[in-house]
Amino acid sequence: MNNSFLVDYKTKTYSSFLKACQTVVQKQSNKSFADSIREKSEEIAATTETTKPTKPGAISARDMTLEGYKQHIYDKISEIPIDPSLTWWHWNIEITDSGFEAMKNDPEYEEYVLNAIRVNFSAVDRYHSANYCILHFGATKEESRSMSFGMGNPSIPQDREQTFWERRAEQKKRREEEYEEWLDKRAAARRWQQEQLDQAIGKRKAIQRRMARKGEDNDPMSPTPTVYEANVATLVVDSVSGILLDK
């Protein structure tokens, strides 16, 4: 699996923007959608740095799923500040699945990887050049390596798989589109329900008018028209309540 994570000077700002958008979507979404997002957020946010004591009720890194741990690490990387002199630098951070497993089970190795990334992001480029840098991490320190190219260099990968971060952005976009579609369907359903309700009320009033006219022709002491009218009204109410949604 391609676990590349593309990072540049705008990543931290963009990550904060995505989190803010996610919060808004959570508040506006339906219950099942909000629950799924909230559960994912709680899973990620439940753990602090793995080198610190685990808070009561928090999920440790070892207890996370691999996908949940990847998101946890990518969020940490997104928060690492980048020196202003590296504005035109781009990093492709590659961590293999075995690398993630090693980090998940060894806090010291996790800190080694994050520290290596911090060192790269804090470097000072006096020339404010534009470079493309690949940072690769495997299951051990010996598998770590880095490569750097000037932007425009033909060695920079052009045809590649989607990264985890890009897949995540696409999934988020699909969920937002599904939510908008759900809102449209719900609005259409409510309009249809209102039409049905209006029709039912109209029919009920018509029946009441007919029964009132019949009652004028019948013996005023006869209970039959009143009973019949009540039965019809009950049927109309029951048929309407069966199609109403919660508002």
Side-chain angles (χ1 to χ4, degrees):
M1 172 184 277
N2 189 334
N3 295 315
S4 296
F5 180 42
L6 301 179
V7 183
D8 60 25
Y9 193 66
K10 301 182 293 294
T11 299
K12 184 175 182 180
T13 302
Y14 182 62
S15 176
S16 300
F17 173 73
L18 283 181
K19 289 179 181 178
C21 289
Q22 184 180 36
T23 301
V24 173
V25 172
Q26 283 179 342
K27 292 179 179 178
Q28 295 179 345
S29 60
N30 62 323
K31 185 174 184 295
S32 60
F33 178 77
D35 284 348
S36 63
I37 297 296
R38 185 173 60 252
E39 288 171 4
K40 187 67 176 176
S41 298
E42 289 174 352
E43 177 186 341
I44 296 168
T47 182
T48 57
E49 293 184 8
T50 54
T51 53
K52 296 181 179 179
T54 304
K55 294 181 179 180
I59 301 176
S60 68
R62 293 187 180 186
D63 294 331
M64 290 182 179
T65 63
L66 184 58
E67 287 300 304
Y69 181 72
K70 287 179 183 180
Q71 186 60 66
H72 169 67
I73 292 299
Y74 288 152
D75 285 344
K76 279 193 170 187
I77 294 173
S78 298
E79 292 303 315
I80 298 176
I82 298 176
D83 190 87
S85 67
L86 304 177
T87 299
W88 305 111
W89 280 63
H90 297 266
W91 286 268
N92 185 8
I93 300 174
E94 301 175 346
I95 305 177
T96 64
D97 279 349
S98 58
F100 272 115
E101 288 286 1
M103 293 169 64
K104 192 161 84 79
N105 296 314
D106 185 355
E108 290 186 6
Y109 186 57
E110 176 189 290
E111 187 57 29
Y112 164 79
V113 172
L114 293 176
N115 228 20
I117 296 172
R118 288 190 196 101
V119 169
N120 276 269
F121 288 4
S122 63
V124 177
D125 181 1
R126 293 183 298 169
Y127 303 102
H128 293 264
S129 54
N131 289 306
Y132 180 91
C133 183
I134 298 175
L135 302 178
H136 179 89
F137 300 96
T140 63
K141 294 179 181 179
E142 289 71 29
E143 295 179 43
S144 303
R145 62 178 182 272
S146 65
M147 293 176 284
S148 182
F149 312 91
M151 295 301 289
N153 189 304
S155 299
I156 297 176
Q158 300 296 326
D159 185 17
R160 56 178 176 77
E161 298 178 28
Q162 282 187 315
T163 66
F164 177 89
W165 188 256
E166 290 169 326
R167 289 195 301 272
R168 179 195 178 207
E170 281 198 358
Q171 289 172 355
K172 181 178 181 295
K173 183 178 179 181
R174 280 199 303 270
R175 286 173 180 166
E176 289 175 344
E177 290 174 348
E178 289 170 359
Y179 175 59
E180 290 295 331
E181 183 179 351
W182 177 82
L183 286 177
D184 291 341
K185 288 182 178 179
R186 185 179 67 169
R190 286 185 171 176
R191 287 195 298 270
W192 180 82
Q193 290 165 13
Q194 188 60 48
E195 292 172 359
Q196 296 300 307
L197 180 59
D198 292 342
Q199 290 179 14
I201 292 174
K203 289 179 181 178
R204 178 180 176 183
K205 289 181 177 179
I207 291 172
Q208 288 176 337
R209 288 193 295 270
R210 286 199 301 271
M211 298 309 300
R213 286 196 296 270
K214 286 184 179 179
E216 292 175 357
D217 299 333
N218 294 336
D219 182 357
M221 301 301 294
S222 175
T224 304
T226 305
V227 173
Y228 177 71
E229 179 184 351
N231 289 339
V232 171
T234 301
L235 289 173
V236 171
V237 171
D238 287 345
S239 67
V240 173
S241 63
I243 62 171
L244 287 178
L245 292 177
D246 294 333
K247 296 186 177 181

